[in-house]
Amino acid sequence: MNLHQFRFVQEAVRRQLNLTEAAKALHTSQPGVSKAILELEDELGVDIFARHGKRLKRITEPGEHVLKSIEVIMREVGNLKRIGEQFSAGQRHALDRHHAHAGTLRAATGRDQAARAIPQGEREPAPGQAR
């Protein structure tokens, strides 16, 4: 069971059970869509669609329940994506704020250590000392 199968079922319903149109809308092949839906039905142990030969004719009663669950799942997937986007944007914003407040680091050290560790142009004399 996977999200691709759920999308295929949703798109088949949106396209009035026309798998060729569903496949075009999803930029995939019709046999792939058909196979994925059959595999989902097999895994669930119910027919989502009533068929006449290879053509989908209608949504079955269990299929209506499956479709409602798929809609809830896909809505929650969308919510998860939005959370991720918001968190990522929040992280970037927090980092931007952090870097915007970058300032001066003052460290007390002996003259010899400062000479080796801090480049000449970056050093400030201690208060009360001449440059």
Side-chain angles (χ1 to χ4, degrees):
M1 192 175 318
N2 61 58
L3 296 178
H4 290 293
Q5 292 168 317
F6 297 164
R7 284 188 189 101
F8 294 167
V9 168
Q10 278 188 315
E11 197 60 37
V13 171
R14 280 190 200 112
R15 303 291 170 168
Q16 288 78 44
L17 308 184
N18 185 326
L19 293 184
T20 300
E21 292 301 316
K24 284 180 188 176
L26 295 165
H27 307 288
T28 192
S29 69
Q30 180 274 323
V33 171
S34 185
K35 182 179 178 188
I37 290 172
L38 286 168
E39 288 173 352
L40 178 60
E41 288 176 321
D42 187 50
E43 186 172 349
L44 295 174
V46 298
D47 289 335
I48 298 169
F49 301 104
R51 293 172 174 77
H52 182 25
K54 291 186 176 185
R55 290 179 121 13
L56 303 183
K57 289 297 181 186
R58 62 178 179 79
I59 302 172
T60 64
E61 184 180 345
E64 293 285 351
H65 293 280
V66 169
L67 186 60
K68 285 178 185 171
S69 290
I70 287 173
E71 289 168 354
V72 169
I73 290 166
M74 298 308 288
R75 189 170 37 252
E76 289 303 316
V77 167
N79 289 339
L80 288 170
K81 287 180 181 179
R82 277 187 291 285
I83 289 168
E85 290 164 0
Q86 290 170 353
F87 182 77
S88 294
Q91 286 291 333
R92 282 193 299 274
H93 183 67
L95 288 174
D96 291 344
R97 276 193 330 238
H98 171 73
H99 290 294
H101 293 3
T104 303
L105 171 65
R106 298 188 189 270
T109 180
R111 191 173 6 156
D112 292 337
Q113 290 87 3
R116 284 182 281 225
I118 303 172
Q120 181 65 36
E122 304 277 328
R123 287 186 235 153
E124 280 187 24
Q129 287 187 346
R131 275 196 182 252

